[in-house]
Amino acid sequence: MTDVRVTHIGGPTALIEVGGWRLLTDPTFDPPGRRYAFAPGTSSRKTAGPARPSSELPPVDAVLLTHDQHADNLDAAGRALLPGAGVVLTTPSGARRLGGNARGLAPWAARRLDSPGRPPVEVTATPARHGPLLSAPLVGEVTGFALRWPGQRHGVLWVSGDTVLYEGVREVGRRLTVGTVLLHLGAVGFPLTGPVRYTLTAARAVELCRAVRPHTVLPVHYEGWSHFREGRGAVEAALAKAPDGIGERFRWLPPGTATEVTV
């Protein structure tokens, strides 16, 4: 079993379907137009709605929530979905805030999803840092996820989470063979913090991919919010300058359409 269907719903939200499992990343289903507060002095306006409404989603077995404290990763409509999921896997601090069916995973901790008639899926939390060194007290705890199931051809499916390039994400490439990565981009920035970026820039994304060497890169979380400083055009420009064919690994998912990916 090597094929998986991925539906990019918008922002960081994607439905991953494999072996009868339905896994949803960072649910965001609010309509556009509202402005949301983040850390003190920072905010962002949602500029695009989801490609599919939450009412059209099939039952979800697990939500992979990279963090709960920012509305561009968990908004009001997304939060309403959580109780109906089989389990919500997130950061330890996020699990304490959410309660209910939320379970926290520290970096490199794992949880196995089992169900009769389905292949087991092992979910391992991976390091992520949502900003520069020492920014954690302001931005909070964040995680990525590596998904492993029997029959993967190229390696694990990795959800990077909102992160900058630092030693923690480089470690993913040393510990794991990555087949496919849902790569959070966007170069998040705010007027208050000037040139500081809180997610991967296009140039840093290329550098990370050169270190991790995934077979396929699925860009997500680069549009739909006013705090993004780089969109698809900036990423494609950086890929055009990359000397070693990294750009050939990038695959832009059509919004709202299930796309088969060989993992």
Side-chain angles (χ1 to χ4, degrees):
M1 180 184 63
T2 57
D3 288 336
V4 56
R5 298 204 315 168
V6 180
T7 305
H8 186 200
I9 295 171
T13 309
L15 179 64
I16 301 167
E17 298 176 275
V18 58
W21 292 100
R22 299 186 184 98
L23 314 175
L24 185 68
T25 66
D26 286 356
T28 55
F29 290 93
D30 282 0
R34 178 178 168 186
R35 179 169 289 276
Y36 300 79
F38 292 159
T42 63
S43 66
S44 183
R45 184 173 62 85
K46 189 170 187 179
T47 60
R52 290 176 59 181
S54 59
S55 60
E56 292 184 2
L57 282 183
V60 172
D61 298 297
V63 171
L64 307 177
L65 180 59
T66 65
H67 59 299
D68 68 301
Q69 65 268 27
H70 298 149
D72 61 323
N73 295 84
L74 180 66
D75 58 19
R79 197 173 289 266
L81 290 177
L82 299 185
V87 66
V88 178
L89 301 180
T90 189
T91 63
S93 59
R96 289 192 294 270
R97 285 187 292 267
L98 293 169
N101 59 346
R103 301 292 180 266
L105 293 176
W108 301 114
R111 183 181 178 99
R112 181 172 157 133
L113 304 178
D114 283 299
S115 180
R118 302 181 191 178
V121 177
E122 184 180 73
V123 182
T124 301
T126 59
R129 195 180 78 200
H130 201 350
L133 187 64
L134 305 180
S135 63
L138 286 176
V139 299
E141 194 176 26
V142 184
T143 190
F145 298 100
L147 311 181
R148 189 192 308 272
W149 57 80
Q152 288 175 330
R153 182 182 303 173
H154 301 296
V156 301
L157 192 159
W158 178 38
V159 181
S160 73
D162 284 6
T163 188
V164 295
L165 180 61
Y166 79 112
E167 188 60 20
V169 288
R170 291 184 187 275
E171 187 181 3
V172 173
R174 293 193 293 267
R175 287 202 183 204
L176 303 173
T177 300
V178 177
T180 298
V181 54
L182 267 68
L183 192 61
H184 290 215
L185 299 172
V188 164
F190 303 95
L192 180 69
T193 54
V196 175
R197 295 293 175 257
Y198 293 87
T199 58
L200 289 169
T201 64
R204 292 299 192 189
V206 169
E207 189 176 344
L208 175 60
C209 289
R210 294 180 71 183
V212 176
R213 305 300 298 182
H215 182 269
T216 304
V217 181
L218 305 178
V220 296
H221 212 23
Y222 55 86
E223 87 299 303
W225 289 82
S226 63
H227 63 321
F228 289 129
R229 297 294 177 260
E230 293 181 350
R232 177 172 174 173
V235 177
E236 290 180 327
L239 293 175
K241 299 175 184 177
D244 50 3
I246 286 292
E248 297 175 2
R249 300 168 186 254
F250 277 66
R251 186 172 177 184
W252 300 88
L253 296 174
T257 301
T259 302
E260 287 198 0
V261 179
T262 298
V263 177

